[in-house]
Amino acid sequence: MGRLFIHSRLLLVLLALVFGVSGCLPGTSGKSAVQQKVSPEPSVVKNVNAAEEKIKIGFSMDTLLEERWLKDRDLFKKEVEALGAEIEILAANGDDALQIAQAETLIGEGIDLLVVVPHNAEATAAIVHKAHKAGIKVIAYDRLIKNADVDLYVSFDNEKVGELQAKAITKLVPKGNYVYMGGADTDNNAHLLKKGVFNILQPYIERGDITVTYDQWTEDWSPAKAEANMAAALEANSNQIDAVIAANDATATGITKALEAKGLAGKIPVAGQDAELAGVRRIVEGTQTMTVYKPIKSLTKEAAELVVKLAKGGSVEAKHKINNGKTEVPAVLLSPIAVTKENIDDTIIKDGFHSKEDVYGLEED
């Protein structure tokens, strides 16, 4: 009987436990506990969504050793941030391996879109492949990336730049010995510039009016190497050079030094491009004939709008296509402007690209 009493008490305890647990399952407090685990506060949800909507752009630049690229960096950053996006900028200063490594860093940080100014048009194809593997679109900024499925190319019409240079110089020197000093062979823009120059020169060459006595690339667009090349051109032609077309104002800097060493600066017309301050000042003083102004404010504004639009999943309609050896890349190409001493004020200074004080060496009031 004692054993039966004990068993009965155990049974009653077990039943009480069962009903106690099942009684709290449908209760309010149990349900609330579960909801709190899966549903954060409304304010927390809003903050998470805001963070997700913040677009981050990666900008991989070849170099910041030239005045022109410092302007691009600062203006592009300003435009991107004005559109509410973030931007991280890394520059490799002419080192292909470093540029690829820096691009990998940006990709690894989870950027929404990658913008690249390539040092080497061929080598940077690897960057495009890596970015696409991570689901990130790539825009080539001002310089085309070769042999890769680039999503968009934004630049100036570089072939037209070369044509503007050659038109200006042939107008002054329709006959004579010419030197063509190209940019870096690794830069696709250098090839486009040269193509534009020879589009204009070729008829003169075929008629025998113009002879290109020296035609050389300039490694890394180096002014020092351009100076050495120009010195070699002068020596090879016994100083009998009538005109020089330089791929940009940086190479024109070296060319002018070589001409100065022979007492020829200002006597031989020299064309450049980029409208660097040093080049524009040479135009004012008469040691450089012209430059080609590419309104970088327009380029950075256009590029920033396209970049942010693509990063948000939008699409872009491009009027042009450029073959990069693998595909027809959609391209947005802006128009360059030829600048001589006569129109510096109405172009470069009017746009605020350089101040009147800087160009003419005037003291500010």
Side-chain angles (χ1 to χ4, degrees):
M1 184 171 178
R3 184 178 298 174
L4 179 62
F5 177 74
I6 293 169
H7 287 169
S8 298
R9 289 194 64 181
L10 286 172
L11 181 60
L12 288 170
V13 170
L14 288 170
L15 288 171
L17 286 171
V18 169
F19 283 112
V21 172
S22 63
C24 78
L25 284 175
T28 306
S29 60
K31 188 175 181 181
S32 297
V34 174
Q35 285 181 339
Q36 287 170 2
K37 289 180 181 178
V38 299
S39 301
E41 293 294 326
S43 61
V44 175
V45 173
K46 185 177 180 180
N47 290 338
V48 170
N49 288 342
E52 288 175 352
E53 291 173 3
K54 192 76 170 180
I55 297 298
K56 185 172 182 180
I57 307 300
F59 194 17
S60 169
M61 300 188 72
D62 161 29
T63 183
L64 288 174
L65 298 177
E66 293 178 23
E67 173 194 305
R68 182 265 157 98
W69 295 110
L70 291 169
K71 285 182 177 288
D72 283 83
R73 178 197 63 184
D74 295 343
L75 290 169
F76 186 62
K77 182 176 185 293
K78 181 180 178 181
E79 293 291 346
V80 167
E81 290 177 343
L83 293 169
E86 296 178 355
I87 183 168
E88 183 171 350
I89 304 168
L90 297 176
N93 292 332
D95 186 324
D96 292 340
L98 179 58
Q99 185 168 27
I100 293 170
Q102 288 176 339
E104 287 175 337
T105 297
L106 293 171
I107 292 166
E109 290 177 357
I111 56 172
D112 295 289
L113 188 142
L114 181 62
V115 183
V116 181
V117 181
H119 170 254
N120 186 314
E122 301 282 352
T124 43
I127 292 175
V128 180
H129 302 324
K130 291 174 186 293
H132 283 177
K133 193 173 181 180
I136 298 169
K137 290 183 177 180
V138 179
I139 289 184
Y141 178 95
D142 199 58
R143 296 175 179 173
L144 187 63
I145 298 172
K146 302 281 285 182
N147 298 318
D149 292 314
V150 181
D151 296 284
L152 184 66
Y153 171 49
V154 185
S155 183
F156 289 93
D157 187 336
N158 289 292
E159 194 170 323
K160 187 175 181 181
V161 171
E163 290 176 351
L164 290 175
Q165 289 180 303
K167 284 178 181 178
I169 297 301
T170 53
K171 185 177 180 179
L172 292 172
V173 186
K175 295 182 179 182
N177 292 332
Y178 271 55
V179 166
Y180 181 72
M181 201 69 69
D185 186 29
T186 55
D187 183 346
N188 189 67
N189 276 10
H191 294 269
L192 293 173
L193 293 167
K194 183 174 183 178
K195 185 174 187 293
V197 167
F198 280 86
N199 284 346
I200 303 302
L201 293 188
Q202 198 56 43
Y204 291 86
I205 294 169
E206 290 174 358
R207 288 196 301 266
D209 292 338
I210 287 175
T211 301
V212 178
T213 60
Y214 193 88
D215 178 353
Q216 185 62 264
W217 299 109
T218 307
E219 185 180 350
D220 291 333
W221 300 85
S222 164
K225 287 170 183 173
E227 181 180 357
N229 286 340
M230 190 64 211
L234 289 166
E235 184 178 353
N237 291 278
S238 302
N239 296 341
Q240 299 303 305
I241 301 296
D242 299 298
V244 182
I245 299 176
N248 69 349
D249 290 337
T251 51
T253 297
I255 288 164
T256 304
K257 286 183 179 180
L259 292 174
E260 285 174 349
K262 298 292 185 180
L264 297 172
K267 297 179 180 179
I268 298 175
V270 177
Q273 67 114 354
D274 277 343
E276 285 192 357
L277 182 57
V280 177
R281 282 177 168 172
R282 285 194 297 271
I283 292 172
V284 171
E285 71 183 20
T287 55
Q288 183 171 321
T289 309
M290 64 86 69
T291 188
V292 180
Y293 170 46
K294 299 186 292 188
I296 296 173
K297 281 186 180 179
S298 300
L299 177 64
T300 53
K301 183 177 177 59
E302 182 81 13
E305 290 173 355
L306 294 171
V307 163
V308 173
K309 185 177 182 180
L310 283 176
K312 289 181 176 180
S315 59
V316 173
E317 290 186 11
K319 294 181 180 179
H320 305 277
K321 287 187 180 294
I322 302 290
N323 190 291
N324 73 344
K326 182 177 183 181
T327 187
E328 295 290 326
V329 181
V332 175
L333 303 177
L334 282 65
S335 296
I337 302 167
V339 173
T340 63
K341 193 172 183 178
E342 286 68 34
N343 68 340
I344 287 175
D345 288 9
D346 295 331
T347 53
I348 293 167
I349 293 173
K350 184 179 179 180
D351 283 359
F353 191 73
H354 296 305
S355 71
K356 192 167 187 176
E357 291 75 22
D358 286 341
V359 169
Y360 293 104
L362 304 174
E363 292 184 6
E364 295 186 26
D365 295 331

